[in-house]
Amino acid sequence: MSRGLKETFPRPARPTPAPAAGEAAPPDSDHRRGTPRTAQHPPAPGALASKVRTLAPSMTRSMQRVAEAVAADPAGCAALTVTGLAALTGTSEATVVRTSRLLGYPGYRDLRLALAALAAQQAAGRAPAVTADIAVDDALPDVVAKLAQEEQRCLVDTAQALDVSQLEAAVTALATARRVDVYGVGASNLVSQDLAQKLLRIGLVAHAHPDPHLAVTNAVQLRAGDVAVAITHSGRTTDVIEPLRVAFDRGATTIAVTGRADGDIAAYADHILTTSSARESELRPAAMSSRTSQLLIVDCLFVGVAQRTYETAAPALAASYEALAHRHHPRTRN
């Protein structure tokens, strides 16, 4: 995090309240509200390559060598000790362990188990090979095939890495919210608009705020019982972090949909839903590839909330369809 951003968005202290006499302190509690936090689980083996693609730009060069090696040859690396992988990549054992933890595993032993499982999936034909980048001279049918495979892999990676307990908590908060604010800019704004529209159609009070100034002034009005959702692939978008911070400080439940669970946005998120993205290239920037996984998260949230509120959601959805039905058929001229 840059010095300027730290000064603009200081990480909250969030002290854990001391337990009363005779009570044991909770093993892992929310440092702001005193409620149990959900443990983060290591990513599924199939999501490893996606994690490498997403996190590689923020890694040191030595950590990148370790990450690229395990993604390129999971079977070979699974057979190596931490010393062997360090020698293979020209790094140190400490770098291998740090890379394992950054990828979401408690230690190198856990990463080796994931690599062995991934190698077994690939041997059985269940894990697709890495798709080549789209070239300027690719024929259009090849572009279609490559994009389709990348989109499919992006959805699979997101589903495998998604922490369902975090999703459950986010759905519960949305289903009981007095009001929902959604923040996103650029490509993520399109996704924020989609989430707000879906929630509106099942009877929730939900609004997307693409203008960063309006987002902050609306966030000031939030309180406990409200929900704020921030959508940012990088986890570092200032115009999204600021309104979420304000909502957080006002006591609203905050949700981050991001490709970087360790990004700056995490400091102000009660629940984090991690997305994946396809490999960025000159003709396919990260904003395009991340939108696919963001939309999957939006659909999961929407369906989950609709299930929880079915008695009111079903009539509201039917009413919205009926209200718009005449717009889907051309009017007959007399």
Side-chain angles (χ1 to χ4, degrees), residues 33-91:
R33 298 188 174 95
T35 55
R37 291 182 64 87
T38 305
Q40 295 290 326
H41 302 292
L48 177 59
S50 172
K51 291 284 287 186
V52 170
R53 289 193 298 272
T54 301
L55 297 177
S58 66
M59 294 179 179
T60 63
R61 185 67 196 101
S62 58
M63 293 175 73
Q64 286 178 355
R65 290 202 297 273
V66 175
E68 290 167 358
V70 299
D73 184 15
C77 292
L80 297 175
T81 63
V82 64
T83 304
L85 183 56
L88 176 69
T89 56
T91 61

Side-chain angles (χ1 to χ4, degrees), residues 93-109:
E93 294 180 11
T95 297
V96 172
V97 173
R98 285 197 300 269
T99 306
S100 302
R101 290 175 178 168
L102 183 60
L103 290 174
Y105 302 93
Y108 179 61
R109 178 179 177 277

Side-chain angles (χ1 to χ4, degrees), residues 174 180 194-204 206 302 305:
L174 289 169
V180 179
D194 186 57
L195 176 58
Q197 181 188 50
K198 281 181 165 66
L199 295 178
L200 278 170
R201 294 190 69 174
I202 57 173
L204 273 68
F302 169 71
V305 173

Side-chain angles (χ1 to χ4, degrees), residues 201 314-329:
R201 294 190 69 174
L317 193 58
S320 68
Y321 277 125
E322 184 177 352
L324 296 173
H326 71 280
R327 296 182 176 274
H328 297 294
H329 302 284

Side-chain angles (χ1 to χ4, degrees), residues 121-329:
Q121 289 180 4
Q122 290 178 340
R126 295 194 301 272
V130 175
T131 303
D133 289 334
I134 297 173
V136 175
D137 57 352
D138 275 349
L140 197 53
D142 293 335
V143 171
V144 172
K146 289 180 178 182
L147 285 177
Q149 187 167 0
E150 288 284 11
E151 297 281 358
Q152 181 183 31
R153 181 171 60 180
C154 188
L155 292 172
V156 170
D157 286 350
T158 298
Q160 289 179 333
L162 184 60
D163 188 331
V164 179
S165 59
Q166 289 285 300
L167 178 63
E168 286 274 5
V171 166
T172 299
L174 289 169
T176 57
R178 181 187 70 94
R179 165 181 160 185
V180 179
D181 277 16
V182 192
Y183 316 124
V185 296
S188 294
N189 170 46
L190 302 176
V191 181
S192 70
Q193 296 278 358
D194 186 57
L195 176 58
Q197 181 188 50
K198 281 181 165 66
L199 295 178
L200 278 170
R201 294 190 69 174
I202 57 173
L204 273 68
V205 179
H207 301 284
H209 301 289
D211 183 287
H213 291 180
L214 286 176
V216 171
T217 55
N218 276 273
V220 169
Q221 307 303 322
L222 298 180
R223 60 177 187 265
D226 297 329
V227 174
V229 183
I231 302 175
T232 164
H233 175 63
S234 69
R236 296 181 287 106
T237 307
T238 302
D239 288 338
V240 176
I241 294 174
E242 185 175 5
L244 193 74
R245 176 186 62 82
V246 173
F248 181 95
D249 291 341
R250 294 285 170 168
T253 299
T254 52
I255 301 168
V257 179
T258 178
R260 292 296 305 274
D262 61 340
D264 302 335
I265 195 75
Y268 308 105
D270 293 309
H271 310 298
I272 300 177
L273 304 177
T274 308
T275 60
S276 178
S277 65
R279 182 169 45 189
E280 183 176 4
S281 67
E282 183 180 5
L283 296 176
R284 184 176 170 79
M288 287 177 58
S289 60
S290 63
R291 192 165 63 244
T292 300
S293 54
Q294 289 174 346
L295 288 171
L296 173 61
I297 298 293
V298 164
D299 284 350
C300 290
L301 289 171
F302 169 71
V303 172
V305 173
Q307 288 177 321
R308 298 284 184 90
T309 61
Y310 183 77
E311 290 187 0
T312 55
L317 193 58
S320 68
Y321 277 125
E322 184 177 352
L324 296 173
H326 71 280
R327 296 182 176 274
H328 297 294
H329 302 284

